[in-house]
């Protein structure tokens, strides 16, 4: 049974980690986009 | 990318996963020869099916990109390839765990395993091409590689019939599965397909933001030049 647990644990850890990486990547890009837009907004206002 | 479907898709994926786990561990009986370890089969086949699906999408997107040169096809190919590599990695991890417990060996250079490993290398190379090629050539190079690389997918699938040696659980020569095991397998495949769609949408959303950032930076650069 330990092999079954190993296979399912690895699968779920892998999927969880990949989803987490995607989420962090998305959050970082959105932050960068927002900062860039804010900088452009300030530039055109000033 | 419109994200109004992200939450419902995540919910459907989660529900399907829970139903699949119930079917695998409670509904489907323990196989008489391999015993509990046969349960690995459901996750192994579920991830393998989705790796094939992901690479098929890469193939279709690559053909469409070469015909139209529209960036959305390039993004679709890239997003699907990354998820395909993730699923193939899982196939290459769960396969040896199953092999070790059932046949007392982690790895053997038999055709199915070897062609699957080659498939993994092909799409890792595809991702490396995308990461290293220049902007103007990246799409075309990746699309050509995505089309040629897909040739290995039917070879992986048919390797068992052509050269034998890998266990066949499904199919006319493999004796098939009892109805309860088949139900668990179908649910597992459906759950992983929902997961694939969720991850694909998520990845496409990221690529859309990346594209927007690139365009914005380019506009700024032109403005200051």
């Amino acid at each position: 049974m330990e092999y079954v647990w190993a296979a399912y644990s690895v699968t779920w850890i892998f999927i969880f980690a990949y989803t987490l990486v995607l989420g962090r990547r998305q959050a970082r890009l959105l932050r960068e986009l927002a900062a860039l837009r804010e900088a452009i907004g300030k530039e055109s206002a000033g | 990318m419109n994200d109004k479907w992200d939450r419902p898709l995540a919910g459907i994926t989660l529900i399907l996963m829970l139903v699949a786990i119930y079917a695998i561990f409670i509904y489907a009986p323990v196989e008489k020869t391999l015993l509990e370890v046969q349960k690995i089969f459901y996750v192994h086949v579920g991830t393998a099916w989705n790796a094939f699906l992901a690479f098929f999408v890469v193939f279709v997107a690559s053909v469409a990109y070469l015909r139209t040169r529209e960036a959305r096809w390039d993004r679709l190919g890239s997003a699907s390839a990354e998820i395909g590599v993730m699923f193939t990695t899982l196939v290459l991890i769960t396969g040896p765990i199953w092999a070790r417990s059932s046949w007392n060996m982690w790895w053997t250079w038999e055709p199915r395993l070897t062609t699957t490993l080659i498939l993994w290398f092909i799409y890792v190379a595809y991702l490396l091409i995308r990461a290293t090629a220049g902007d103007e050539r990246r799409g075309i190079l990746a699309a050509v590689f995505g089309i040629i690389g897909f040739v290995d997918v039917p070879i992986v699938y048919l390797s068992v019939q052509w050269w034998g040696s890998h266990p066949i659980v499904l199919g006319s020569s493999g004796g098939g599965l009892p109805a309860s095991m088949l139900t668990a397998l179908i649910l597992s495949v459906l759950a992983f397909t929902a997961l694939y769609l969720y991850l694909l949408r998520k990845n496409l959303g990221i690529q859309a933001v990346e594209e927007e950032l690139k365009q914005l930076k380019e506009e700024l650069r032109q403005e200051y030049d």
Side-chain angles (χ1 to χ4, degrees):
Chain A
M1 197 65 181
E2 66 266 30
Y3 288 108
V4 178
W5 282 113
Y8 279 85
S9 302
V10 166
T11 301
W12 287 112
I13 289 168
F14 222 89
I15 289 167
F16 182 74
Y18 181 65
T19 312
L20 205 69
V21 165
L22 285 185
R24 289 173 79 113
R25 201 192 295 173
Q26 189 176 35
R28 181 179 54 79
L29 286 168
L30 286 172
R31 269 200 311 273
E32 200 178 328
L33 189 66
L36 203 59
R37 276 185 179 150
E38 198 185 313
I40 291 168
K42 275 181 189 164
E43 183 99 347
S44 50
Chain B
M1 165 151 293
N2 189 348
D3 61 356
K4 71 174 179 183
W5 289 102
D6 275 5
R7 276 174 184 269
L9 197 53
I12 291 167
T13 305
L14 193 65
I15 290 166
L16 277 171
M17 282 291 175
L18 291 173
V19 172
I21 287 169
Y22 172 83
I24 292 165
F25 289 102
I26 296 166
Y27 177 67
V30 173
E31 209 268 341
K32 289 189 178 81
T33 318
L34 295 168
L35 303 173
E36 282 91 356
V37 86
Q38 182 266 351
K39 303 276 184 198
I40 296 172
F41 158 78
Y42 302 104
V43 70
H44 185 66
V45 175
T47 47
W49 152 255
N50 275 283
F52 288 169
L53 174 66
F55 296 143
F56 177 68
V57 171
V58 176
F59 172 75
V60 172
S62 299
V63 172
Y65 179 73
L66 288 182
R67 281 173 65 99
T68 64
R69 299 295 159 92
E70 286 176 18
R72 66 191 171 119
W73 293 115
D74 185 44
R75 290 202 293 265
L76 177 63
S78 163
S80 194
E82 193 177 293
I83 303 164
V85 167
M86 197 266 294
F87 278 126
T88 311
T89 307
L90 287 174
V91 172
L92 288 169
I93 293 171
T94 54
I97 293 174
W98 189 10
R100 178 69 178 84
S101 55
S102 298
W103 304 290
N104 210 26
M105 58 184 177
W106 291 103
W107 185 267
T108 168
W109 292 101
E110 59 96 4
R112 170 64 65 87
L113 271 68
T114 308
T115 51
T116 306
L117 184 63
I118 291 169
L119 187 72
W120 186 83
F121 277 119
I122 287 172
Y123 285 94
V124 167
Y126 172 97
L127 294 176
L128 285 175
I129 285 173
R130 295 199 62 88
T132 54
D135 268 0
E136 68 286 355
R137 290 173 61 218
R138 180 169 53 214
I140 297 169
L141 269 175
V144 170
F145 208 81
I147 292 166
I148 297 169
F150 188 72
V151 171
D152 193 40
V153 171
I155 294 174
V156 173
Y157 182 75
L158 293 167
S159 60
V160 176
Q161 279 139 52
W162 288 346
W163 301 297
S165 81
H166 195 81
I168 302 176
V169 186
L170 282 173
S172 54
S173 57
L177 282 174
S180 54
M181 288 185 182
L182 190 62
T183 305
L185 177 64
I186 290 168
L187 283 167
S188 174
V189 168
L190 280 176
F192 278 108
T193 306
L195 178 69
Y196 165 72
L197 291 174
Y198 172 74
L199 293 173
L200 187 67
R201 278 190 61 83
K202 192 106 181 143
N203 223 335
L204 283 171
I206 289 169
Q207 298 216 10
V209 179
E210 266 174 347
E211 191 62 34
E212 203 178 334
L213 257 175
K214 209 171 92 181
Q215 278 175 5
L216 215 56
K217 282 177 182 172
E218 183 63 24
E219 279 170 25
L220 274 174
R221 198 182 59 80
Q222 282 174 357
E223 212 169 285
Y224 284 105
D225 278 350

